[in-house]
Amino acid sequence: MNCFCYRTLSSHFLRHVMYKILLLTDFSAASQHAIAYTQALFDDTAADFCLLYVCPIEPDMEYAGATLLAERWQMAEKSLKQLRAEITGPSSPAYHTYRTMAVMGSPAGIVNQLLVKEHYDLVVLGATGSGWSELLGSVATDLVRDAKTNVLVIPASAPIRPMKTIVLATDYRSVNDAQSLRLLNDLASRKDADLTVLTIENPEKPETRTSALGRQYILDAFQEVQTDTYTIYDDSVLRGIRTYLKMHTVDMLVMLPHHKSLFDIIRHRSVSRTMAFQPTVPFLALYDAPLRDQPSKFDKIPFATYL
């Protein structure tokens, strides 16, 4: 009885915290599933959803003239209105609001432009799992790399069910500000989910071992969440994470991606962007703003930037 009252009061309080969420859509089944998944994820708290369709400017459109552009624009606006009508209805919570937006350009570029003008707590897009689609795959990795906010990539195969297990993959040294964990902390609290903090250590490299101080800094951010730690010993971080996902039921994988150089991206050193490109479970990339006016103290730590 006490547990029920606590959850009720918690949900009532959280409804006064309005999340602003940008939902990318290309009207595909994958993007519609991502929208439904996100609605369920925030069904117990207030949210302002913005449905965004980015109409790509294709080479043939430059020769087709204004008539074809106008026709595509009208079709996009009509499809957005229809989509909004489909995902809202009598059962839609009163603390959920919806608006639509159609813009021409590249999806990742448009999102970054919008984030400069307006703050969004979360950007959401769907993924087929193949990694080859206009909005799926490369756009997800672009957003994980560049977007100055949290990004959620949802596979089309992800079931919509109560969230019970969340995994935060971290080296314990890659967090600039514990406030970056706020969304994850709120999500785990609202869903009463268990949080596992996963780290991968290379047994042949002592510098990859986590310190007690770094571990405690992360765990202190989740004092009201049932939290456990798990370590896998492997010389490949990507393989270690994938091994864990195969061995356990995971409802969401979370990382704090580092802002890597183009050289690192070419060499495929970003585990987070690899996971975003072909996610097997919902993948949440938390935005961790870089420290201002000073170089990151993590820059000289080997193996500390694998995310």
Side-chain angles (χ1 to χ4, degrees):
M1 181 66 180
N2 291 336
C3 180
F4 173 79
C5 292
Y6 171 79
R7 296 300 298 169
T8 302
L9 289 173
S10 176
S11 296
H12 176 75
F13 172 76
L14 287 169
R15 287 175 186 174
H16 291 82
V17 180
M18 173 70 78
Y19 280 101
K20 296 183 67 175
I21 302 173
L22 191 62
L23 298 168
L24 274 69
T25 180
D26 58 359
F27 309 114
S28 66
S31 64
Q32 289 181 311
H33 176 73
I35 292 171
Y37 184 99
T38 307
Q39 287 177 303
L41 194 63
F42 290 88
D43 63 352
D44 53 0
T45 193
D48 174 41
F49 297 105
C50 179
L51 299 170
L52 171 65
Y53 171 72
V54 180
C55 181
I57 301 178
E58 302 169 359
D60 64 324
M61 296 176 68
E62 298 178 3
Y63 303 97
T67 301
L68 179 58
L69 287 174
E71 289 178 354
R72 293 196 179 185
W73 189 268
Q74 291 175 358
M75 290 179 60
E77 290 188 327
K78 181 178 179 181
S79 297
L80 275 173
K81 290 180 180 180
Q82 181 177 349
L83 176 60
R84 178 177 176 177
E86 291 174 354
I87 65 175
T88 59
S91 60
S92 181
Y95 45 87
H96 283 180
T97 58
Y98 294 85
R99 49 198 172 104
T100 62
M101 186 184 307
V103 187
M104 287 191 174
S106 66
I110 292 300
V111 169
N112 287 324
Q113 291 176 26
L114 292 176
L115 289 173
V116 173
K117 300 177 181 179
E118 183 178 1
H119 171 73
Y120 288 93
D121 299 289
L122 183 65
V123 176
V124 181
L125 68 161
T128 61
S130 65
W132 300 104
S133 175
E134 175 193 332
L135 275 182
L136 322 172
S138 62
V139 174
T141 58
D142 287 345
L143 290 175
V144 167
R145 182 179 69 243
D146 297 327
K148 291 180 173 57
T149 193
N150 308 304
V151 178
L152 177 60
V153 186
I154 303 171
S157 59
I160 300 177
R161 64 189 181 194
M163 181 166 292
K164 296 301 181 183
T165 57
I166 303 175
V167 173
L168 170 63
T170 179
D171 55 17
Y172 291 103
R173 293 170 292 189
S174 58
V175 181
N176 292 330
D177 188 348
Q179 284 296 314
S180 303
L181 303 170
R182 182 182 61 85
L183 176 62
L184 173 58
N185 187 38
D186 172 48
L187 181 61
S189 299
R190 285 192 291 108
K191 300 304 179 182
D192 198 20
D194 294 333
L195 175 66
T196 297
V197 183
L198 170 68
T199 188
I200 313 299
E201 293 186 6
N202 188 334
E204 298 181 358
K205 294 185 178 181
E207 65 268 21
T208 67
R209 297 172 185 169
T210 60
S211 68
L213 182 62
R215 183 187 298 261
Q216 196 59 46
Y217 179 74
I218 299 296
L219 297 180
D220 284 347
F222 303 104
Q223 294 184 2
E224 297 183 1
V225 177
Q226 181 63 41
T227 308
D228 193 11
T229 60
Y230 198 100
T231 301
I232 289 182
Y233 298 93
D234 199 314
D235 59 2
S236 168
V237 175
L238 182 60
R239 183 170 59 237
I241 294 176
R242 285 176 170 170
T243 297
Y244 185 92
L245 294 178
K246 290 180 181 179
M247 294 171 53
H248 301 81
T249 299
V250 176
D251 294 317
M252 180 175 288
L253 173 66
V254 184
M255 292 185 183
L256 287 93
H258 290 270
H259 296 271
K260 293 183 176 294
S261 67
L262 179 61
F263 180 71
D264 289 327
I265 296 170
I266 293 174
R267 294 183 61 184
H268 304 290
R269 294 176 59 181
S270 174
V271 176
S272 58
R273 281 186 280 280
T274 299
M275 301 304 297
F277 187 69
Q278 291 181 314
T280 57
V281 299
F283 174 71
L284 174 61
L286 297 176
Y287 177 66
D288 189 30
L291 297 175
R292 295 183 177 180
D293 303 325
Q294 58 181 348
S296 173
K297 63 182 178 180
F298 306 116
D299 288 344
K300 298 182 180 180
I301 301 178
F303 204 67
T305 58
Y306 63 74
L307 300 181

